[in-house]
Amino acid sequence: MTLVMNKDWAILQGAFLQAEKLSLPSSLSTIQKADWSRVGHPVLSAIVEICGQDLGASPSATTIKWIKNVVCVVWLKLLSRENGEDLDVAWKENHFFGLQNSLPEVNIVVLLELVKSLAAGRTFASFLLHLPKHQVASQLQRLVQHIRSCPTTEDDVTLLFQVWWELWRGREKENVTGENNIQTLFAKQYACLSSSSSSLSTQAAKRLKLSPLELPSSSNPDVLHILFHALEYIKDHVSTTDVCLQALSVSLDALYKTFLIDQVVVLPPKEKVHYLSEVVSIAEMNSEKVSPELVVEAYRDLCACHTPSHFQPSLLTPGEALKIITELAQFWQSNGLLKVCDNTHPSYSAFKLKQSVKRVLTALQKADVSETIKILDEETRKNILRGVLESMAFPSVECTPEVNTKVAAVIITQRLDDYQNFAALFACEKSWAACDEYWMDCLEKNQSAFQECHTLIRLTSTLMSKLDGNNSNVSQCRKLMKVVSDIFSALSFEDKNRVLTAMLRLSTRGFFGGSVPTAVVEGFQQELNMAFNCIIQGGGGAAASQGNLNTAVSLVARVAFQNPEAALRSCCHSAIFNKGASAFIVKILQKLPGLRVQEEQIEETRCNEEEMEKFSIDERKDVLTGSSLLCRGLQEIIKTKLLSSSEKEQFLKFVGLLMMPVMTVEGEDVKQSFLLPQEVVNIFVLPNLSTSAYSFMFSSGPTVSDLELSLQLLHTALSVDVPDMDNTPHWVLDCSPFPLLYVLSQLHNQTLRCWEQPPMSAIHMETKELLVSLLTTLGQVLSKEVAAAPSSWSRALFWLYNKMETLDWTVRFHIKSVWGDHFKNEVPSSLLTVCDLPEQEWSGLDLPLYGQGTGLVAWMECCSISDSLQTTMLLHLSVDQGRPDDVTMFSKGLLVALTQILPSCSISQWSRLLGVLTELITSGRLHVPFSLEYVDYLPLLDLKKFSCELRMSVLLLRVFQLLCGSSCSQWLTTGGWEHVGRLYAHAVREMMTSLKAKLPLISTAASPCPTAQASGHLNPSSRSLTMPADSQTDKQEVRRPLKSNESQMGEELKTIPSQEVLFVLSQLFCHVQHVQVMMPGGQCEPLFLSSLEILSHYEAIMAAFPDSSSPLESDNTRHFFSTITDNLDNEEMKAVLQQKISQLVSSAA
C-alpha cells in the first residue's frame, strides 16, 4: 500500500506551507508548544475542509482513515529528519516518501499538537502499539515532556489519558487489507529509520529532564512508571470532574491489569450484557446517540479491563502505584472535583470509575497483601478508595430487556469476541424474546451465529414458550418457525440428530405442543404433506440414489424438528400405504437416530427437572416412560385403519427393517436398531397376547387379525439378526419370556378346538404353523439362557411346567428344548400300548380323552409334532408283520386314527403324516387293498412301481368316506371342511410331484433325452411297456449308439411308464371327484384346482407320448371322466372341467 498525492493531500500541503510562513522568523521544525495556536490554524482549517464537519465525537470511518494517514506521514516526516533518512534508498522503499517530501520539516511539537487538536490520541496510541516496547517507552517520554512543557492545558491531560487507555486496551484485531494495514507499514518504516541511527532514544532522554528515579533505563523500559509519574505532575492541571474521574479510572485499571491479575478474567455473557446495557442506558439518559460503535467500544473497554497488561513493570511497585492513586484521589476530593453525580444525567466516567474501584477492592481483598501490596498503610489506602466510592453516590441505572436485546444483537452482528456464547444467551432469555422487533431482526440477520447445537436447543425452547404464550400473530409465528427451521436445516446430519434428540426431550409435538394458531398448524401440515409427496414422487423406491436419500433425510429432519410426532406419523403412513416405499423410509429413519428414544436420553431427562417443569404432565410421562413415537404412529394405523393383506405385508416389512441393526455413525463398529425388538414385542405383541389366550370367553378383546398381526410381528422380531454380545442376555428376557411362552402355548392349544361347534377359538388353523414356529424359536433361545444358568431359572421352569398341565399334552413337545432333560416325555398311557418306548425317558398320563383303543391316535399326533419325534415313533412302533391279524387290525385302527386327527393338522403336520403313511405302506406295516372301483376290466400294466401312490390315494378316499359319513359329518364347521379340503389337495399335489418325478416331461420333450427318443421313434405298445420283438431289429441303429454310451439309457428305452402314469392319474382324478362330491357343499375350490392340475398333466403326457393312448381309449376316457364330473353340484366348476376333459384327444389319431 503506497500513499500517493491527490487533491486532498495538495490542500494539506498548501496548509503546511502556509503554516511554515506563519512561523517566520522561525520554522515548523523549531516552533514551541505555545506557537501552535498561531501557526496551526491553516493546517486544521484544511483538515476541516477535507473532512467536512465530520470531526466531532463520532467521526466516520473515512475520516478516521484519513486522520491516520496524516498522523502517520507527519510522524514519519519527523523521524526521517531526526534519523537522517537516506534519500537514495527511501524513494525506492518508503511507501510514504512522496507525501513526506511534499511537507516542510516539522518537529515533535507539530506532531503532538496536531494529534491533540484532532483528538487523535487513540490513533497515536494505535501506532505506538505496533512498535517494540522500548520504543513505546521512548515515544511516551517525549509525549510526557510535551505535556509538561508550558502551557499545560486540560486538553494535554485528556490526550495523555486517551493514549494511556488505548495502550492498555491493546491492539485491535488486524485485517489483511485496508486501514489497519497502515500501522504495520508505519512500524516497518519506523524500524528502518531506527536502525539507521541510534541517537533517537538518547536525544529523547536528554530532552526529558526527569529525576534519576523517574527515568527508566533504555534496556529496561517501564511504561507504567512513566505514566504514573506523569500523572503526579499533571494533577494540578485537572480542573473538571470528568477528567478527574477519567484519571482515577484509567490509573486504577492500570493497577488492576498490571499487578492484580495474571490471566484473563472470564465474565459470564449475562454480566457483560448487563454492563454494556448500563453504558447504553447512560448514553440515552444523556441524550447521546446510541450506535453499534458505542457498544463495540464499550465492549472493548470491558474486555481490556479484565485482560492482563502486556506492559510489564520494572521500576514501579504495586504499593507505589496504589499510593499515587489514593493521594491523587484525596487531592482532587479536597479540591471539590469528586462531586456527587447528577441522577438525571449520570456520567459515563463516573460509571467507569465505580467499576474500576470495585474491581480493585475485590482483587485486593482476595490478594495476599504481603506478596502484593508491601506498604504499612495498605488498609488505609483501601479505606480511601471505599470512601471515594461512597462519596460519589453513583446513581443506579436500570436496564430494560429492550436495551439488553439491542446490546446482545450488536455483539452478535459485529461478531465480537465470544459472540457464540452471547448467541446462546440471546437464544434462551425469554424476556429478550418479548422484544419482538429487535429479537426477530437479530435472528434473521445472524442465522449462522445460532448454528450450534446447544444454542439452537435453547432457541427452540424459547420459541416454544413464545408460541405457547397465546400468540395470535400468525405472520410472526410463521416467520419465527421458518427462521429457526432454516437454522436447523443448515446443520450437519450429526448436529441435526443431536438437536432432534433434545427436541424429543422438550416435547414430542415440537413447536405445536401448546396453543399455536390454527393457521400456523395448517401451514405446517401443508409443508409436511409436501415434504412426503416429494419423497414418494421423487424416487422413494429401492433404486433411489444417495443424493435423493440425503435430500429426503433433510426434508424429514426439518419437519421432524418442528413436530417429531407428526413427522414420524407421516413416515409410518407413507411406508405402509405406498407400495415399495417402506425400505426407503427406513433408510431415512436410520440416518436420523436422534429420533429414537434411548435409555441414556431418558436418564438425562430425568436429571433435568428444571427443564421438565416447563411441560405438561402428559408430555413428561411420554419422555420418562420412553414410549416410541414411531410405535405410537404404527399403533394408530393398526387401530384406525382396516389394513389389506398387502398393507399388512408393508407393515411387517417396515417394522422388520427398522429392527435390523445398522451402523448409524460411519467409522464405528457398533450397530444399532431404530426400533429395538423388545420394544416392538412389549408394545405390539404382549398387550394383545395377554388377553387373546382367554378372548374366546369374552365378547370383547383383540380381533383375529390383530392377534395374527401380533404373532407375525413377534416372529419378525425373533428373526432379527441381533449381534451376539458376550455376557449380554438375549433381548427376549426383557419381554417376560416364560409368561409369553405360556400364552403362546395357550393359543396353540386353542387350535385343537377350532372346529368345535360353536367355535371355541380366537384364531384360525392357519396360524397354527406360525405358533409352532414361535414356540420352537423362543424355546431354543430360552434353552441357551437356562443352560447358562440353570439354578437361576429353576423356579421359572417349574412354574411353566406346572402351567402346561392344563393344556393339551402335545403342546409340551414344542418347547421341549426349554427344560431339556429336567422332565420326562409325558404321553397318554394308551400310546405306550402301541409303541415300545424306554421308561427312563417316557411316562404315561391317564387322560380322559385317551381311553382304550386310542393309542394310534396319540401315536399319529406324536408323529406330526416334529421330525425327530416322528423318527422315534416309527422306530418304536409295535406291529408284528409276521401276524396278518396284527397288520389288519393296525391298518384299520390307523384309518380311524387318521380320520380323527386330520382336521386338527396344519400343513406341516400333515406333510409329516404323509411321510409316515408312505413309510408304513412301503414297509408293509400298513395294508391298503386297492380295488378297481372305476374300471370295468383289469389293465395289462405293470403298476408295481406306482403301488404306493395308488394305495395312498385309496387310503385318503377311505378317510374321507369315513369323515363324510353320517357318523362324522357333523364334526366340522364350514371352515373345518375347507381346511380338510386344503389338506387333501396338498396330499394330491404330493402324489402328483411323485408321479412327475417318475416320468419327467421336461426330459421327454428334449431331443437328446432317451425318453423323448423312445416316444418319438420306438412307439411302445399300448398293451405292454416292453418293446415288441419285430421292432427291435428295425430300431437297432437307434439302440446301439445309446447302449454304447450308457447301458442304463438302453434300459430306459425299454420301459417308459407313460400308460401306467395315465392310469394312476385317472384313478387319482376319480378319487378327487369322489371326495369333492361327498364333501358338504361340493364346492371345495382346492379340490377343483387339483382336478384341473390332474387333467392338465394327463393332457401333457398324452401330447408327449402319443402312442400311450389310442383314439378309442382317449374317447372312452373322456366319456368316463365326463360321467364322473356330472356328479358335481357346482355348474361353473362342472363346465370348466368338462371343457378341459374335451381337450383330452390322442395325438395318435
Side-chain angles (χ1 to χ4, degrees):
M1 174 180 130
T2 302
L3 297 180
V4 296
M5 181 68 73
N6 57 23
K7 177 184 175 183
D8 291 339
W9 276 105
I11 294 172
L12 186 62
Q13 179 190 20
F16 268 96
L17 293 175
Q18 187 178 356
E20 177 77 6
K21 290 180 181 179
L22 292 175
S23 62
L24 293 175
S26 183
S27 66
L28 290 179
S29 61
T30 59
I31 66 170
Q32 298 298 312
K33 183 179 179 181
D35 298 329
W36 176 253
S37 59
R38 176 173 56 86
V39 304
H41 178 70
V43 176
L44 297 178
S45 298
I47 293 175
V48 171
E49 180 183 348
I50 293 168
C51 298
Q53 300 301 319
D54 196 22
L55 281 174
S58 301
S60 65
T62 305
T63 299
I64 293 173
K65 179 180 178 181
W66 206 85
I67 290 176
K68 280 185 178 181
N69 292 340
V70 172
V71 172
C72 177
V73 171
V74 173
W75 199 343
L76 289 176
K77 179 70 177 180
L78 168 65
L79 292 175
S80 64
R81 182 179 72 84
E82 293 178 343
N83 292 279
E85 184 179 28
D86 186 351
L87 297 181
D88 292 333
V89 177
W91 74 270
K92 298 177 184 178
E93 299 178 358
N94 187 354
H95 296 276
F96 309 98
F97 181 77
L99 298 183
Q100 283 179 214
N101 283 332
S102 68
L103 301 180
E105 298 293 341
V106 296
N107 63 1
I108 189 66
V109 171
V110 175
L111 171 64
L112 296 178
E113 287 298 313
L114 182 62
V115 168
K116 182 173 69 175
S117 302
L118 296 177
R122 289 183 56 186
T123 301
F124 181 78
S126 69
F127 287 110
L128 279 179
L129 286 169
H130 283 73
L131 301 180
K133 290 183 180 178
H134 70 278
Q135 297 288 2
V136 174
S138 173
Q139 294 300 323
L140 275 179
Q141 288 171 350
R142 302 181 75 180
L143 173 63
V144 170
Q145 181 190 12
H146 177 76
I147 290 173
R148 292 177 63 176
S149 62
C150 294
T152 300
T153 64
E154 195 156 295
D155 288 341
D156 291 309
V157 177
T158 303
L159 174 62
L160 175 65
F161 294 141
Q162 283 181 349
V163 174
W164 186 346
W165 181 239
E166 195 64 27
L167 288 176
W168 252 247
R169 287 215 300 183
R171 289 165 60 169
E172 291 188 62
K173 289 183 180 178
E174 305 241 351
N175 298 326
V176 244
T177 58
E179 59 204 75
N180 285 342
N181 210 22
I182 193 172
Q183 285 97 328
T184 305
L185 295 175
F186 168 81
K188 289 180 180 178
Q189 188 61 26
Y190 188 100
C192 292
L193 294 171
S194 298
S195 63
S196 64
S197 173
S198 60
S199 61
L200 178 61
S201 60
T202 305
Q203 294 171 3
K206 287 180 180 179
R207 292 190 191 101
L208 182 58
K209 297 176 182 180
L210 298 175
S211 65
L213 291 176
E214 295 174 316
L215 178 63
S217 64
S218 60
S219 61
N220 191 19
D222 190 342
V223 171
L224 197 63
H225 182 272
I226 296 171
L227 293 172
F228 264 89
H229 283 282
L231 187 60
E232 284 187 300
Y233 172 77
I234 62 152
K235 67 179 181 180
D236 294 320
H237 301 281
V238 174
S239 58
T240 63
T241 298
D242 194 59
V243 175
C244 170
L245 298 177
Q246 286 183 41
L248 288 175
S249 176
V250 170
S251 57
L252 283 169
D253 286 339
L255 169 67
Y256 179 76
K257 286 165 59 68
T258 307
F259 298 109
L260 299 181
I261 59 172
D262 55 4
Q263 60 184 2
V264 176
V265 178
V266 180
L267 297 178
K270 197 166 188 177
E271 189 174 329
K272 291 181 181 179
V273 170
H274 181 72
Y275 175 92
L276 298 174
S277 297
E278 286 188 297
V279 173
V280 170
S281 298
I282 289 171
E284 289 179 341
M285 292 172 72
N286 288 299
S287 303
E288 296 179 21
K289 180 182 178 183
V290 178
S291 63
E293 289 75 18
L294 173 67
V295 177
V296 172
E297 289 303 317
Y299 187 73
R300 277 195 66 204
D301 285 347
L302 178 62
C303 293
C305 289
H306 294 86
T307 305
S309 172
H310 56 283
F311 295 108
Q312 296 302 316
S314 58
L315 298 175
L316 190 69
T317 64
E320 187 180 358
L322 182 59
K323 179 182 177 183
I324 293 173
I325 293 172
T326 53
E327 287 178 350
L328 288 175
Q330 286 180 308
F331 175 77
W332 286 325
Q333 192 169 26
S334 63
N335 290 343
L337 294 177
L338 295 179
K339 298 176 182 178
V340 177
C341 296
D342 183 4
N343 288 339
T344 57
H345 295 90
S347 164
Y348 177 54
S349 300
F351 172 75
K352 284 191 66 178
L353 178 57
K354 172 186 175 182
Q355 304 300 323
S356 301
V357 172
K358 284 183 176 180
R359 279 192 292 270
V360 171
L361 286 175
T362 303
L364 288 174
Q365 198 69 31
K366 294 179 180 178
D368 186 351
V369 176
S370 62
E371 295 288 334
T372 312
I373 310 295
K374 296 181 178 179
I375 52 175
L376 296 175
D377 54 348
E378 180 266 342
E379 190 62 35
T380 304
R381 303 297 177 188
K382 289 197 288 187
N383 289 333
I384 293 172
L385 292 179
R386 292 190 189 99
V388 170
L389 195 61
E390 293 170 1
S391 65
M392 292 299 295
F394 297 104
S396 59
V397 180
E398 294 184 3
C399 302
T400 62
E402 184 177 344
V403 174
N404 290 334
T405 307
K406 288 180 182 178
V407 168
V410 170
I411 295 172
I412 296 168
T413 303
Q414 299 293 328
R415 296 297 191 270
L416 301 182
D417 289 340
D418 203 28
Y419 75 90
Q420 295 96 336
N421 286 330
F422 282 93
L425 177 64
F426 189 91
C428 68
E429 283 293 325
K430 294 180 173 54
S431 60
W432 299 1
C435 307
D436 295 331
E437 181 182 350
Y438 301 108
W439 196 74
M440 187 69 228
D441 185 65
C442 180
L443 285 181
E444 272 193 295
K445 293 179 179 177
N446 302 283
Q447 292 186 22
S448 61
F450 295 89
Q451 289 171 8
E452 295 286 338
C453 285
H454 69 282
T455 303
L456 182 54
I457 291 166
R458 292 181 176 185
L459 181 61
T460 301
S461 177
T462 303
L463 177 57
M464 290 166 64
S465 300
K466 192 173 177 65
L467 292 174
D468 195 26
N470 297 322
N471 195 330
S472 58
N473 191 330
V474 174
S475 175
Q476 187 187 61
C477 288
R478 285 177 173 169
K479 192 174 183 181
L480 277 172
M481 288 176 56
K482 181 183 183 304
V483 170
V484 178
S485 298
D486 288 344
I487 294 172
F488 172 81
S489 298
L491 299 178
S492 64
F493 282 144
E494 185 179 357
D495 287 341
K496 283 177 181 175
N497 279 304
R498 290 199 187 102
V499 174
L500 288 174
T501 299
M503 175 60 89
L504 280 175
R505 294 201 303 265
L506 292 175
S507 172
T508 57
R509 291 184 292 277
F511 297 148
F512 300 90
S515 54
V516 181
T518 305
V520 178
V521 177
E522 292 173 353
F524 169 74
Q525 191 62 45
Q526 291 177 358
E527 181 182 356
L528 184 67
N529 295 339
M530 188 178 299
F532 279 91
N533 286 340
C534 290
I535 291 171
I536 300 303
Q537 297 173 7
S545 66
Q546 187 64 34
N548 284 347
L549 177 60
N550 290 337
T551 302
V553 171
S554 298
L555 287 173
V556 173
R558 182 184 176 99
V559 292
F561 169 66
Q562 298 175 67
N563 190 338
E565 186 176 314
L568 287 174
R569 192 188 301 118
S570 294
C571 283
C572 297
H573 193 278
S574 299
I576 294 170
F577 297 105
N578 292 280
K579 193 170 184 179
S582 57
F584 190 66
I585 298 295
V586 169
K587 288 180 181 178
I588 293 172
L589 292 175
Q590 287 170 344
K591 289 277 189 179
L592 297 173
L595 288 174
R596 290 183 316 203
V597 179
Q598 302 172 339
E599 291 300 324
E600 56 267 25
Q601 297 167 6
I602 296 170
E603 291 301 322
E604 185 178 348
T605 305
R606 286 195 181 107
C607 298
N608 196 349
E609 295 295 337
E610 182 180 349
E611 187 175 353
M612 290 301 297
E613 287 297 327
K614 298 181 242 180
F615 303 104
S616 67
I617 294 175
D618 290 338
E619 288 177 329
R620 276 182 273 167
K621 182 180 177 182
D622 288 342
V623 176
L624 294 176
T625 56
S627 300
S628 169
L629 290 178
L630 193 68
C631 288
R632 188 188 299 174
L634 293 171
Q635 279 182 311
E636 183 179 323
I637 289 176
I638 293 174
K639 292 178 180 178
T640 59
K641 305 285 185 182
L642 187 60
L643 299 181
S644 65
S645 58
S646 62
E647 289 165 350
K648 286 182 180 179
E649 282 183 27
Q650 290 271 104
F651 182 94
L652 291 169
K653 181 181 178 182
F654 181 55
V655 175
L657 289 173
L658 286 173
M659 288 189 288
M660 292 295 294
V662 294
M663 282 188 294
T664 55
V665 180
E666 294 184 7
E668 290 188 3
D669 294 334
V670 180
K671 292 185 175 182
Q672 294 180 322
S673 305
F674 193 92
L675 273 183
L676 298 176
Q678 58 265 42
E679 188 177 8
V680 172
V681 173
N682 285 322
I683 292 177
F684 292 99
V685 179
L686 295 185
N688 280 343
L689 296 189
S690 61
T691 55
S692 294
Y694 302 99
S695 61
F696 62 91
M697 300 179 182
F698 306 99
S699 59
S700 61
T703 64
V704 174
S705 59
D706 288 341
L707 177 59
E708 291 179 351
L709 187 59
S710 298
L711 294 174
Q712 289 170 333
L713 281 172
L714 178 58
H715 183 267
T716 303
L718 289 171
S719 303
V720 172
D721 184 18
V722 178
D724 190 12
M725 307 293 289
D726 294 337
N727 302 322
T728 303
H730 195 279
W731 61 262
V732 81
L733 298 185
D734 296 330
C735 305
S736 306
F738 284 92
L740 175 59
L741 259 183
Y742 176 57
V743 171
L744 291 174
S745 300
Q746 287 180 300
L747 294 173
H748 182 274
N749 190 67
Q750 289 182 42
T751 62
L752 305 177
R753 308 176 62 189
C754 63
W755 308 130
E756 295 182 8
Q757 284 283 11
M760 297 295 287
S761 176
I763 54 177
H764 295 308
M765 174 59 73
E766 289 76 4
T767 314
K768 188 175 183 179
E769 296 277 2
L770 182 57
L771 283 168
V772 170
S773 175
L774 290 172
L775 286 170
T776 305
T777 305
L778 189 56
Q780 290 171 351
V781 170
L782 287 180
S783 67
K784 295 179 182 178
E785 300 294 333
V786 171
S791 58
S792 303
W793 298 102
S794 57
R795 290 185 61 187
L797 285 176
F798 278 99
W799 175 86
L800 180 62
Y801 195 85
N802 292 331
K803 282 288 186 180
M804 300 295 284
E805 291 180 354
T806 60
L807 306 181
D808 189 79
W809 64 272
T810 58
V811 181
R812 293 182 184 177
F813 283 97
H814 293 297
I815 54 175
K816 169 67 177 171
S817 58
V818 177
W819 40 69
D821 298 329
H822 290 277
F823 304 97
K824 286 185 178 182
N825 296 316
E826 294 182 324
V827 294
S829 299
S830 59
L831 172 61
L832 301 179
T833 63
V834 299
C835 205
D836 295 329
L837 296 169
E839 294 181 0
Q840 298 82 1
E841 301 175 16
W842 299 79
S843 64
L845 294 173
D846 293 328
L847 301 176
L849 296 178
Y850 290 85
Q852 187 177 2
T854 59
L856 284 179
V857 174
W859 183 84
M860 294 202 75
E861 286 180 315
C862 280
C863 288
S864 68
I865 291 174
S866 67
D867 294 339
S868 60
L869 208 53
Q870 173 190 348
T871 303
T872 302
M873 292 296 107
L874 285 172
L875 184 63
H876 295 89
L877 179 63
S878 301
V879 177
D880 187 355
Q881 290 181 261
R883 300 179 63 180
D885 289 344
D886 283 3
V887 174
T888 301
M889 289 300 294
F890 171 74
S891 301
K892 290 180 179 179
L894 192 73
L895 175 63
V896 175
L898 183 61
T899 306
Q900 285 184 266
I901 72 166
L902 174 64
S904 62
C905 287
S906 63
I907 293 294
S908 62
Q909 289 177 319
W910 179 236
S911 297
R912 289 193 191 96
L913 287 182
L914 290 176
V916 170
L917 295 175
T918 301
E919 168 62 25
L920 293 175
I921 292 173
T922 304
S923 64
R925 286 182 281 185
L926 177 60
H927 175 61
V928 182
F930 183 77
S931 58
L932 300 177
E933 297 181 40
Y934 303 101
V935 290
D936 296 330
Y937 56 89
L938 180 66
L940 300 177
L941 301 173
D942 184 6
L943 298 174
K944 189 175 182 179
K945 189 175 181 181
F946 304 96
S947 63
C948 184
E949 287 83 0
L950 287 170
R951 283 186 285 176
M952 178 71 78
S953 183
V954 170
L955 176 63
L956 295 179
L957 175 63
R958 300 291 178 254
V959 168
F960 274 88
Q961 284 174 332
L962 280 177
L963 196 59
C964 299
S966 58
S967 59
C968 304
S969 60
Q970 303 300 318
W971 278 7
L972 300 177
T973 62
T974 303
W977 285 111
E978 291 176 357
H979 176 67
V980 295
R982 284 191 292 271
L983 293 181
Y984 182 50
H986 175 75
V988 172
R989 283 194 299 273
E990 292 286 322
M991 288 184 281
M992 291 285 293
T993 302
S994 176
L995 291 175
K996 290 175 182 178
K998 293 178 180 179
L999 184 62
L1001 291 180
I1002 296 177
S1003 61
T1004 61
S1007 59
C1009 292
T1011 52
Q1013 293 179 7
S1015 65
H1017 300 289
L1018 298 181
N1019 298 326
S1021 169
S1022 61
R1023 301 298 178 192
S1024 174
L1025 291 178
T1026 304
M1027 294 175 59
D1030 57 349
S1031 66
Q1032 293 178 10
T1033 306
D1034 297 336
K1035 303 304 178 183
Q1036 245 177 348
E1037 289 92 5
V1038 177
R1039 284 169 43 199
R1040 279 187 190 133
L1042 293 172
K1043 279 190 175 182
S1044 63
N1045 292 332
E1046 190 176 349
S1047 60
Q1048 186 178 357
M1049 195 175 291
E1051 294 298 326
E1052 291 178 356
L1053 292 174
K1054 295 180 183 178
T1055 56
I1056 301 173
S1058 57
Q1059 276 200 323
E1060 283 80 352
V1061 171
L1062 288 181
F1063 176 77
V1064 174
L1065 288 174
S1066 65
Q1067 293 298 299
L1068 193 56
F1069 177 77
C1070 293
H1071 293 163
V1072 172
Q1073 289 292 290
H1074 192 159
V1075 171
Q1076 185 168 3
V1077 171
M1078 285 192 298
M1079 287 180 64
Q1083 300 183 15
C1084 184
E1085 186 175 355
L1087 296 186
F1088 166 70
L1089 296 176
S1090 296
S1091 299
L1092 284 177
E1093 184 180 355
I1094 294 170
L1095 293 175
S1096 297
H1097 193 54
Y1098 197 103
E1099 183 183 9
I1101 292 176
M1102 290 178 65
F1105 304 98
D1107 293 337
S1108 62
S1109 179
S1110 66
L1112 177 61
E1113 290 172 333
S1114 63
D1115 185 63
N1116 288 337
T1117 298
R1118 289 196 303 276
H1119 175 72
F1120 177 62
F1121 282 179
S1122 297
T1123 304
I1124 293 293
T1125 307
D1126 284 338
N1127 294 316
L1128 287 176
D1129 293 333
N1130 189 294
E1131 294 298 330
E1132 291 182 5
M1133 291 183 180
K1134 185 191 300 185
V1136 173
L1137 289 175
Q1138 295 283 9
Q1139 183 182 3
K1140 189 69 177 176
I1141 291 170
S1142 67
Q1143 297 172 3
L1144 303 179
V1145 180
S1146 173
S1147 301

